[in-house]
């Protein structure tokens, strides 16, 4: 695997159609699964490793976000990446950089309502990275469900010609979704954090038993969230429009354990309600 420190090095190393996995580093088994998925069709897999300041709000964890390029290189190579692109801040944000991509109303809902500017920061850096990397397709985790939905919208609206692929959430044994931010949790908080997937599972079990009322499903989830400072627990359609009991839905949760913010979600399929973790189908936009 080649570690490219600049776009020039990156371009010299690319040797075929690219499948791209953008990350902020601190790689774990969730990222490795995205990389394996990217590698599955034999394409040239580029993983970017860049902690993007513009998606962090005032008082958020940009400074303290875990950084470990050597560890990331080992995980990326093992998972099948050909290139780890670790650009400098100046390459991503040159002094005259002036463009911001506004992904529209969805960027101001759910996580966007609590993290103003976050999704504009994500969309802007991802589109810039798309320009530098030139991928045929890009893989994102469904763990960050709203981010995936917004990037699918951006790719479609801007006719980027890049296939945006959603990948399943990888979890710890107790169900907690893997996240670089889990490293911030104290031992006691780590135990309590399992309340998030438990809340989703309980609501999904009620859904599988025929419950379709959004308020009741949300209340079932909320009752399992003892110890979590809840930001939201909301049922939406799979496209993040208002919930419709007859169509594919998603239950999304965000909350704090101490200073650590965690998110999770579960897809609910009325045609196969027992498959609570039904996956949002891969979407292709030209
Ligand atoms: P980040 O952790 O913010 O650097 O995310 C980089 C990519 O990895 C995003 O597409 C995330 O959705 C994805 N990702 C993060 N955690 C997981 C997980 N537990 N399972 C699957 N994908 C994940």
């Amino acid at each position: 695997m080649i570690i490219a420190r600049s776009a020039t090095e990156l371009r010299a190393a690319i040797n075929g159609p690219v499948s791209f996995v953008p990350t902020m580093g601190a790689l774990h088994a969730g990222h490795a699964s995205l990389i394996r998925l990217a590698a599955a069709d034999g394409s040239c897999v580029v993983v970017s490793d860049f902690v993007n300041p513009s998606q962090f709000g005032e008082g958020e964890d940009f400074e303290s976000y875990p950084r470990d390029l050597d560890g990331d290189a080992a995980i990326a190579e093992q998972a099948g990446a050909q290139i780890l692109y670790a650009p400098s801040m100046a390459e991503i944000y040159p002094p005259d950089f002036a463009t911001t991509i506004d992904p529209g109303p969805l960027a101001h809902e759910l996580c966007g309502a609590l993290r103003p500017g976050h999704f504009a920061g994500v969309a802007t850096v991802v589109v810039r990275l798309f320009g530098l990397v030139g991928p045929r397709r890009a893989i994102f985790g469904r763990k960050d469900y709203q981010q995936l939905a917004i990037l699918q919208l951006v790719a479609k609206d801007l006719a980027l010609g890049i296939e945006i692929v959603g990948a399943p959430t990888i979890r710890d044994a107790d169900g907690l979704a893997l996240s670089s931010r889990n490293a911030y949790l104290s031992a006691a908080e780590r135990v309590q954090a399992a309340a998030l997937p438990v809340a989703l599972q309980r609501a999904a079990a009620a859904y599988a038993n025929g419950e379709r009322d959004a308020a009741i499903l949300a209340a079932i989830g909320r009752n399992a969230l003892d110890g979590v400072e809840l930001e939201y627990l909301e049922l939406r359609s799979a496209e993040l429009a208002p919930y419709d009991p007859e169509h594919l839905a998603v239950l999304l949760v965000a909350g704090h354990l101490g200073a650590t913010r965690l998110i999770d979600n579960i897809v609910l399929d009325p045609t196969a309600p027992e498959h609570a973790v039904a996956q949002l189908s891969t979407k292709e936009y030209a």
Side-chain angles (χ1 to χ4, degrees):
M1 189 186 72
I2 292 167
I3 298 183
R5 295 294 200 150
S6 68
T8 310
E9 290 177 14
L10 170 69
R11 275 189 287 271
I14 288 174
N15 61 358
V18 170
S19 283
F20 180 35
V21 181
T23 82
M24 295 206 300
L27 300 189
H28 51 62
H31 304 115
S33 76
L34 268 52
I35 297 166
R36 277 196 298 274
L37 181 63
D41 70 351
S43 51
C44 175
V45 177
V46 176
V47 178
S48 66
D49 191 326
F50 179 70
V51 184
N52 172 38
S54 75
Q55 69 189 72
F56 290 79
E58 272 305 281
E60 289 188 0
D61 54 341
F62 173 68
E63 302 295 340
S64 56
Y65 197 83
R67 289 163 171 88
D68 174 15
L69 188 62
D70 291 343
D72 293 346
I75 291 172
E77 181 164 29
Q78 164 77 26
Q82 267 90 66
I83 304 168
L84 183 65
Y85 174 43
S88 67
M89 193 62 72
E91 179 157 86
I92 300 302
Y93 295 115
D96 57 350
F97 188 89
T99 299
T100 299
I101 292 176
D102 176 354
L106 183 54
H108 305 288
E109 300 174 18
L110 299 165
C111 286
L114 296 139
R115 306 184 70 190
H118 169 69
F119 288 116
V122 169
T124 304
V125 80
V126 166
V127 170
R128 178 152 175 82
L129 287 166
F130 282 175
L132 291 163
V133 174
R136 184 179 60 81
R137 62 177 188 148
I139 324 291
F140 296 89
R142 284 190 208 108
K143 204 260 296 180
D144 299 278
Y145 192 95
Q146 187 178 10
Q147 168 174 281
L148 172 62
I150 285 174
L151 292 172
Q152 284 174 328
L153 185 70
V154 167
K156 175 174 72 72
D157 285 355
L158 301 183
L160 297 179
I162 296 167
E163 181 189 354
I164 305 294
V165 177
T169 300
I170 304 301
R171 299 175 179 279
D172 255 342
D174 63 354
L176 180 67
L178 297 188
S179 164
S180 307
R181 290 191 166 101
N182 292 353
Y184 300 152
L185 298 168
S186 69
E189 287 167 347
R190 174 62 192 80
V191 172
Q192 280 185 314
L196 267 76
V198 167
L200 297 178
Q201 276 156 12
R202 288 205 186 143
Y207 187 88
N209 284 331
E211 183 57 68
R212 293 289 182 276
D213 185 283
I216 293 175
L217 291 167
I220 289 167
R222 256 196 306 277
N223 284 340
L225 286 170
D226 252 6
V228 178
E229 195 190 318
L230 186 62
E231 277 187 355
Y232 64 79
L233 179 76
E234 217 177 300
L235 204 55
R236 294 273 184 119
S237 78
E239 298 77 27
L240 297 180
Y243 170 64
D244 173 349
E246 285 173 16
H247 289 106
L248 199 65
V250 59
L251 181 63
L252 306 114
V253 63
H256 280 90
L257 277 146
T260 307
R261 184 174 188 276
L262 299 176
I263 59 172
D264 203 348
N265 65 82
I266 196 161
V267 172
L268 303 170
D269 184 348
T271 67
E274 70 286 2
H275 296 148
V277 199
Q279 291 164 13
L280 185 69
S281 63
T282 297
K283 291 184 179 166
E284 192 167 346
Y285 295 116

